Amino acid sequence: MKNTPLLLLTLCLVLIFSAKISAQGCVAIRQFSTCAGNGLQTALLPKGMWQVNTSYRYFKSFRHFAGTTENADRVTSGTEVINHANAWDLTLNYGITNRLFGSVTLPFVINARSSLYEHGRNERHTTFSRGMADSRIGLGYWMHDPEKHPLTNLAVGLGVKLPTGNYQSTDIFYNVGPGGSPEVRPVDQSIQPGDGGFGITADFQFFNQWKNGLSFYAMGFYLANPRETNGVRTFRETLSPILQNEAIMSVPDQYSVRAGLGYAFGNSGLSAFAGARYEGVPVHDLIGGSEGFRRPGMVGSGEPGVSYMKDRVTVTASVPIVFYRNRPQSVTDLETQLATGNPRNGDAAFADYLINFSFSVRLGKAADHSMAATN
C-alpha cells in the first residue's frame, strides 16, 4: 500500500495523456499525441519495458465560422461542407531508462468530404482519402526521478514528424472540367492524409497529485513545419482571382495546450477526469514562410473521460465537447483587405464533439516487476 499514491496517479492520468490531439474539421489540425509518447503510463515504463497502444478517433465537422461568428445559414440552406474523419494510431513505446522514454507512432486515416462548391456549386458530391498519415518519432525525459518524486514531476520531449502520409491524394470532382465534365484533382487540404513536410515537435507534461486520489495535469506541444508549401495545387484560384495566393497548399504549424483535474476511485482501476484543451493552426509559422493555402483556426473544448486499468491492460475513452471556435484571417485575407480596403475573413467548418478510444498493453519482463510494485 505504500505505493498507492503512485498507482492512483497512474490511473488518473493514463487517459488524460493518452487522449489525442485531434482534428476539428476543415481546419487541418492533424491528430497528434505528445511527441514523446502517450503520457504518464508510458513515461513510467521501467528500463526495458514495452507498451503497445492503439487508438481510434472520429468526428464530423459541418458548422461554418468566420472569426468567432457562425454562419448558420450554411446548414439551413444545405450548402455546408461536411467532413467525416476516422483515424487509427498504432504506437510502440519503450523505456530506455526509468526517466528516458521513446515512442514511434504509425497513423492511418479514412476521410470523406461532402460539398457543393467543389463540384460546380449545383450538385453535392463526396471525395475520399485513405491510407497512412504522417508518422512520429520522439523522446521524452522526466526532470525528476519518478521513484523519488511520485507526486509531482515535469517531462519535456523532442521529436520529429516524417512526411510518410500521402499529401497528393486525389479523387473525382464533378462539373469542374471542360464543358462541365468530371476531373481528377487533389482532395481538400483538410482530408489529405499528410502535409508533405518534415516537422519538429516540442512538448511538456506536468502533473501534481493531491490527496484522496485527486490530481492536476497540464500538457502542451508545438509542431513546427519549416517547409512553406508542398507543391500541390488546390484549384482555389479558379474560384476567384483574389485566391491566387491559395493556388498551392501550405504546410502549416500546429499547437495544443491542455489542463484539468483527474480522480481515481480507490484501487478499483477506474479513473475519470475533466479538463479543457485549446488547439489550433496559426496564421504564421514559427519557422519559414507562411504563404500558400491554409485555414488557420483555434478550437476550445471541454474534455471529460474515463479509464480502466487491469493488470497490464488499459482501456480509455473521452469525448471532447467544443465550446469555442475561431477561424481568424488568413494571410490571403489580410493581403486582400489591405489591397482593397474591404474587410475579408474566410470561413471553416468545425465539429461539435470528438470521440476518442484507446487500448494499451504492457509487454516484457519488466512489466511483471512494475505491476507488482504498484499493487
Side-chain angles (χ1 to χ4, degrees):
M1 296 299 295
K2 65 180 181 180
N3 290 308
T4 296
L6 183 59
L7 174 62
L8 295 178
L9 179 60
T10 302
L11 296 177
C12 282
L13 298 185
V14 164
L15 175 59
I16 291 168
F17 290 115
S18 64
K20 299 296 181 181
I21 307 303
S22 304
Q24 293 281 359
C26 284
V27 178
I29 308 173
R30 288 176 170 80
Q31 177 179 7
F32 285 100
S33 59
T34 57
C35 69
N38 291 327
L40 182 61
Q41 186 188 34
T42 300
L44 290 176
L45 291 176
K47 180 180 179 180
M49 178 186 285
W50 296 88
Q51 178 175 291
V52 179
N53 183 84
T54 180
S55 63
Y56 169 75
R57 176 212 68 199
Y58 168 79
F59 73 84
K60 171 189 174 183
S61 65
F62 65 99
R63 296 192 184 278
H64 285 256
F65 281 77
T68 59
T69 302
E70 181 180 6
N71 185 357
D73 290 341
R74 292 292 297 273
V75 175
T76 57
S77 65
T79 62
E80 79 276 22
V81 177
I82 303 172
N83 279 13
H84 291 275
N86 298 270
W88 296 262
D89 272 5
L90 177 62
T91 301
L92 182 64
N93 307 301
Y94 181 70
I96 302 172
T97 71
N98 289 340
R99 295 172 67 176
L100 181 66
F101 53 100
S103 176
V104 177
T105 299
L106 303 178
F108 301 87
V109 299
I110 298 178
N111 299 319
R113 177 180 174 87
S114 169
S115 70
L116 286 167
Y117 85 92
E118 294 172 309
H119 303 275
R121 299 186 183 276
N122 294 319
E123 296 179 343
R124 178 177 291 273
H125 292 279
T126 302
T127 51
F128 299 89
S129 66
R130 60 185 62 83
M132 186 176 183
D134 290 343
S135 56
R136 290 97 68 187
I137 301 174
L139 292 172
Y141 184 76
W142 287 95
M143 304 304 293
H144 303 289
D145 187 338
E147 294 184 0
K148 297 179 181 179
H149 298 268
L151 302 182
T152 303
N153 215 328
L154 170 67
V156 294
L158 287 174
V160 294
K161 177 189 68 67
L162 306 177
T164 54
N166 184 5
Y167 60 95
Q168 305 176 73
S169 180
T170 61
D171 206 341
I172 299 174
F173 289 77
Y174 294 88
N175 309 310
V176 295
S181 62
E183 190 169 275
V184 175
R185 293 181 174 183
V187 298
D188 186 78
Q189 184 184 57
S190 63
I191 65 170
Q192 288 285 350
D195 61 22
F198 285 90
I200 303 169
T201 60
D203 71 71
F204 75 91
Q205 301 177 26
F206 173 80
F207 71 86
N208 184 20
Q209 163 121 13
W210 300 327
K211 59 184 178 180
N212 299 325
L214 190 64
S215 301
F216 170 78
Y217 68 90
M219 66 179 292
F221 93 102
Y222 194 94
L223 164 65
N225 267 318
R227 187 176 185 181
E228 185 171 23
T229 59
N230 60 19
V232 178
R233 187 180 176 188
T234 67
F235 288 87
R236 292 181 62 82
E237 78 282 4
T238 64
L239 302 176
S240 172
I242 66 174
L243 299 180
Q244 185 61 44
N245 181 55
E246 297 184 349
I248 304 297
M249 292 185 189
S250 176
V251 185
D253 288 0
Q254 180 177 328
Y255 63 87
S256 176
V257 291
R258 305 169 66 204
L261 297 175
Y263 183 78
F265 298 94
N267 295 319
S268 65
L270 181 66
S271 62
F273 75 89
R277 53 196 282 169
Y278 185 82
E279 55 205 297
V281 170
V283 177
H284 299 283
D285 288 346
L286 185 64
I287 304 172
S290 305
E291 295 296 318
F293 171 60
R294 75 174 68 188
R295 295 185 185 92
M298 297 80 182
V299 181
S301 306
E303 186 175 20
V306 294
S307 176
Y308 180 73
M309 174 188 285
K310 177 65 174 178
D311 298 328
R312 303 184 186 186
V313 176
T314 302
V315 179
T316 65
S318 69
V319 183
I321 300 171
V322 180
F323 61 80
Y324 173 80
R325 307 166 182 86
N326 183 9
R327 201 293 205 180
Q329 290 179 296
S330 66
V331 170
T332 298
D333 292 334
L334 294 169
E335 290 177 347
T336 302
Q337 181 171 304
L338 182 63
T340 64
N342 299 317
R344 185 178 189 276
N345 199 141
D347 72 351
F350 296 83
D352 282 340
Y353 63 89
L354 296 90
I355 297 174
N356 293 314
F357 177 82
S358 67
F359 174 88
S360 66
V361 59
R362 291 183 170 192
L363 304 172
K365 294 182 178 180
D368 296 327
H369 169 76
S370 174
M371 298 312 297
T374 57
N375 283 282

